[in-house]
Amino acid sequence: MRPEDLALLHVPGSVTLHDDLLLVDVAHPDLKADAYRGGLWRIPPQGPPVPFTHGDLDTAPSISPDGAWVAFLRATAGGRPQLHVMPTGGGEPRPVTDLPLGAGAPVWAPDSRRIAFVARTPEAGRYGTEEGVGPAAEAPRRITGFRYRSDNVGFVQDRRKVLYVVNALADIPQPVPLTGDRYDVDDPCWHGDEHLLVSAPRDLDPESLHTDLYAVPALGGEPVPVVRGPGSAARPAVLPGGDVVFLGTEFSGIDAVARNTGLYRAPVRLGAEPATVPTGSATVPTGAGSATVPTGVRLTEEESVDCESLTPLPVEGGVLVAVRVRGAVELRLVPLDSSTGVPLGKLTVVLGERSAVKAFAAWRGRTVAVLSTPEHPGLVADAGGTLADFCGPLPAARPLREITAVAPDGYPVHGWVALPEGEGPHPVLLNVHGGPFHQHGWGFLDETQVYAAAGYAVVLPNPRGSAGYGQAHGRSVVGALGTVDADDVLALLDAALALPECDADRVGVMGGSYGGFMTSWLAAHHGERFRAAWSERAVNAWDSFTGSSDIGWFFAEAYCGPDPETQRAMSPLQHADRITLPFAVVHSEEDWRCPVEQAQRMYVALRRNGVPAEFLLFPGEGHELTRSGRPRHRLQRFEAVLEWWSRHLAS
């Protein structure tokens, strides 16, 4: 895969299924237009996929319960996504919303007429709501809390996520807001015809890291707490008897990092007697005083099962969840009649072995999923095999080879290497993932394919701190960044360099976010191992990260502890005087996850020390440049990466 082959990545996003109607949205980068394009496609029982819509960018399809209608989001060139509805038999889509900041994904009510969705709703006078007043002329923001902005979104305190309901089949649809503008809500789902369940901050306090489940009357009224999360509660889905399953993470205070997410079950009390489910309870404040609500029962084992943030799906025999497992994201079935805390080994794999599940749907015994594999960015498959591949074979796509190693303390390390064509030995790129509670693995990574096609062997480690290997594995770097994780990364690199296809004398290190942190750390502490470094959107200094990152106010302390000296000792910037190798500092101007000052401080320190450092700064981009940035910037970044390594690893 060459950099310009980005345009070939026609990737399915979400999927919806009803009877034999199977719809997916498929998007691709348009390099000429510097935008993303795509529409809905139907995958018939027999034959190739056929286009279902023809908009600039149509996404998030959802079929109504009676099978008569399809709701989806349509964004015109330069516009916000708005809710549209059309008959499943075909016809002209009809706009249902015209909101200033667009609408969120549709959720049908049981009556197949009303649709719930979440939308950011601006304060009066902001974001173009006052004619003739641009962003630079708006009044100053009065900020009173920590959570006032978010990467890839912008300021959020003045545009909260509000729950809406609209009668999509009315002559003139009128979206009705059901929640206020003091807090955000997420993940709406219908509980019968009269209520919706949403995830919202504990006690509706926008500063809280904890989230609970609330019921909101569909005709309007105050949110009522119905489930107290174990630390967080999100992605609710209603079982046939009225109970709710949801994804929860157990933590207290700010210690919310590197925790496995599990599947929980709880009764929901909305005026009816709930089913009997053993559960704890908590007393929570309400508008009328206080109430006792359930906390839920964890159905999956905390240590071994880590659910991806995809909404659980009740089916016959249990609940489908996506689970991170040693580099894969597998669709597994959690039985509802089992004892609590089912371990990973007892959950049946439905789809997704040696791949990554990106979305899934089910209808009357049939399950369909969007799968990403090392060589395919998005396949649509069911139990019978592949149903659609919208990319086809990518040029020079290379498979992954699993490798293992043993760290100096005896700990097992797992990862992959992608080898170019030819005998080699090839120059080597050690590519460390972000997170750190994330994983390399069996899903498609365009970076791996581009670098391998250019002649580099790409090493992909999952060191301690990564997800998918148990909660203890993920939390082993809390308070210990740059220790066992660095040992694991180097151990896997050594295992790769033992292969005859890899050239141990031509090795570069690179990574983004936490991977950028590790790149800077390795350059300072093990620089003799590498010819050059490419550190992207990195955390370099925990002290300023605390006051500048959208998550810094809790994340730095959660991973490093509260002591300023300890945080400085874990900061690559503190050790910049030890870096001597050629060093690329790469960042985006509007990155609010790892703000640009993290790059500026490292670049200045390196240049002052006489290091041959370069600073590549992308305008108008955030932390997600490599995944969802402007197509031309993604292309230009790939060209810059390959030019950098051709200079430093060519011979």
Side-chain angles (χ1 to χ4, degrees):
M1 178 180 170
R2 301 159 300 179
E4 59 269 27
D5 291 332
L6 279 170
L8 302 180
L9 300 182
H10 291 245
V11 181
S14 55
V15 58
T16 184
L17 176 65
H18 188 285
D19 286 333
D20 64 354
L21 179 60
L22 172 59
L23 299 176
V24 297
D25 56 10
V26 181
H28 69 278
D30 185 332
L31 294 173
K32 184 176 180 180
D34 197 21
Y36 291 89
R37 305 295 192 203
L40 307 187
W41 289 72
R42 178 177 182 179
I43 303 175
Q46 303 293 330
V50 294
F52 192 77
T53 65
H54 302 276
D56 290 334
L57 183 61
D58 297 339
T59 60
S62 179
I63 302 172
S64 61
D66 64 4
W69 302 93
V70 176
F72 62 95
L73 298 178
R74 167 166 288 181
T76 57
R80 306 281 189 171
Q82 302 291 349
L83 185 60
H84 286 64
V85 170
M86 65 181 290
T88 52
E92 188 65 24
R94 177 191 187 208
V96 175
T97 64
D98 185 19
L99 298 171
L101 300 182
V107 181
W108 284 100
D111 62 14
S112 295
R113 297 183 61 86
R114 294 170 296 165
I115 296 175
F117 62 93
V118 167
R120 290 201 176 273
T121 302
E123 288 182 358
R126 295 203 184 276
Y127 305 104
T129 55
E130 184 175 344
E131 188 174 352
V133 178
E138 291 180 359
R141 291 178 171 88
R142 186 180 301 276
I143 295 167
T144 57
F146 293 122
R147 309 183 77 173
Y148 63 91
R149 63 179 184 172
S150 178
D151 185 72
N152 220 36
V153 177
F155 290 98
V156 296
Q157 183 177 282
D158 51 13
R159 47 174 167 177
R160 294 293 188 191
K161 288 183 179 179
V162 173
L163 175 66
Y164 286 83
V165 167
V166 60
N167 183 348
L169 306 188
D171 292 338
I172 303 177
Q174 296 288 341
V176 177
L178 298 183
T179 56
D181 59 1
R182 293 189 300 103
Y183 51 86
D184 291 332
V185 300
D186 273 305
D187 311 328
C189 76
W190 289 86
H191 192 281
D193 287 312
E194 298 181 359
H195 290 87
L196 288 123
L197 302 183
V198 296
S199 175
R202 179 157 297 171
D203 303 330
L204 302 180
D205 175 6
E207 292 297 288
S208 179
L209 283 175
H210 301 272
T211 55
D212 298 326
L213 299 185
Y214 291 79
V216 181
L219 296 179
E222 289 298 312
V224 177
V226 291
V227 175
R228 186 79 158 188
S232 68
R235 302 279 184 171
V238 178
L239 298 172
D243 290 353
V244 63
V245 289
F246 61 93
L247 299 184
T249 306
E250 187 171 343
F251 65 92
S252 59
I254 65 169
D255 192 15
V257 299
R259 300 284 187 180
N260 278 356
T261 298
L263 180 69
Y264 286 75
R265 179 179 182 177
V268 171
R269 298 175 174 87
L270 294 174
E273 193 66 28
T276 301
V277 178
T279 181
S281 62
T283 301
V284 302
T286 69
S290 64
T292 300
V293 300
T295 55
V297 172
R298 190 165 188 146
L299 300 180
T300 54
E301 184 185 71
E302 183 177 13
E303 170 56 30
S304 64
V305 181
D306 183 24
C307 297
E308 189 84 339
S309 183
L310 298 173
T311 302
L313 182 58
V315 295
E316 185 177 355
V319 179
L320 294 174
V321 292
V323 181
R324 297 193 281 192
V325 184
R326 294 180 62 82
V329 180
E330 299 174 344
L331 192 61
R332 297 214 177 195
L333 182 67
V334 181
L336 289 173
D337 58 356
S338 300
S339 61
T340 62
V342 182
L344 179 69
K346 293 188 177 181
L347 301 180
T348 302
V349 179
V350 177
L351 289 168
E353 289 187 280
R354 294 203 166 208
S355 61
V357 171
K358 298 296 184 181
F360 55 95
W363 176 261
R364 293 182 178 174
R366 183 190 182 195
T367 300
V368 177
V370 175
L371 305 178
S372 171
T373 72
E375 298 164 66
H376 295 270
L379 305 170
V380 182
D382 64 9
T386 299
L387 303 172
D389 175 5
F390 292 90
C391 276
L394 291 168
R398 303 299 298 161
L400 295 182
R401 179 189 297 185
E402 273 187 285
I403 55 175
T404 58
V406 179
D409 63 357
Y411 195 84
V413 189
H414 179 234
W416 294 263
V417 61
L419 298 172
E421 294 182 344
E423 294 183 2
H426 307 285
V428 176
L429 295 180
L430 173 63
N431 191 358
V432 185
H433 65 67
F437 199 54
H438 188 53
Q439 61 176 3
H440 276 314
W442 295 111
F444 181 85
L445 183 61
D446 55 1
E447 294 194 43
T448 299
Q449 295 299 337
V450 167
Y451 306 152
Y456 299 96
V458 186
V459 181
L460 305 167
N462 276 346
R464 273 170 278 188
S466 303
Y469 299 81
Q471 184 164 275
H473 181 94
R475 289 190 58 79
S476 59
V477 298
V478 173
L481 290 169
T483 60
V484 294
D485 48 349
D487 291 343
D488 290 358
V489 166
L490 293 176
L492 199 81
L493 174 62
D494 286 337
L497 295 180
L499 300 174
E501 296 92 340
C502 295
D503 187 345
D505 293 326
R506 291 186 293 161
V507 182
V509 59
M510 65 185 303
S513 196
Y514 164 77
F517 162 92
M518 184 55 66
T519 297
S520 303
W521 189 268
L522 292 176
H525 294 84
H526 303 277
E528 74 283 355
R529 303 286 307 263
F530 308 102
R531 291 271 195 97
W534 176 280
S535 178
E536 196 160 2
R537 60 184 184 275
V539 178
N540 288 312
W542 291 109
D543 56 353
S544 56
F545 179 88
T546 297
S548 61
S549 168
D550 61 343
I551 62 172
W553 61 276
F554 75 90
F555 192 87
E557 183 174 336
Y559 262 110
C560 303
D563 179 58
E565 289 304 317
T566 301
Q567 291 188 11
R568 275 191 282 274
M570 289 187 195
S571 298
L573 184 66
Q574 188 78 359
H575 311 280
D577 59 341
R578 302 174 63 174
I579 297 175
T580 59
L581 73 169
F583 200 101
V585 178
V586 187
H587 225 91
S588 296
E589 287 184 352
E590 297 179 12
D591 188 335
W592 284 357
R593 181 58 41 86
C594 296
V596 69
E597 56 86 15
Q598 294 283 309
Q600 293 166 327
R601 295 181 71 189
M602 177 61 81
Y603 174 69
V604 169
L606 294 174
R607 294 293 293 186
R608 290 184 67 182
N609 292 338
V611 174
E614 300 179 12
F615 189 11
L616 187 64
L617 185 60
F618 286 89
E621 297 287 357
H623 200 64
E624 298 298 307
L625 163 64
T626 61
R627 295 174 280 266
S628 59
R630 296 175 72 99
R632 287 180 191 167
H633 279 160
R634 292 176 65 186
L635 172 63
Q636 291 162 351
R637 175 192 168 274
F638 269 139
E639 293 170 341
V641 171
L642 295 181
E643 190 276 333
W644 173 262
W645 292 122
S646 70
R647 268 194 277 154
H648 297 290
L649 297 182
S651 60

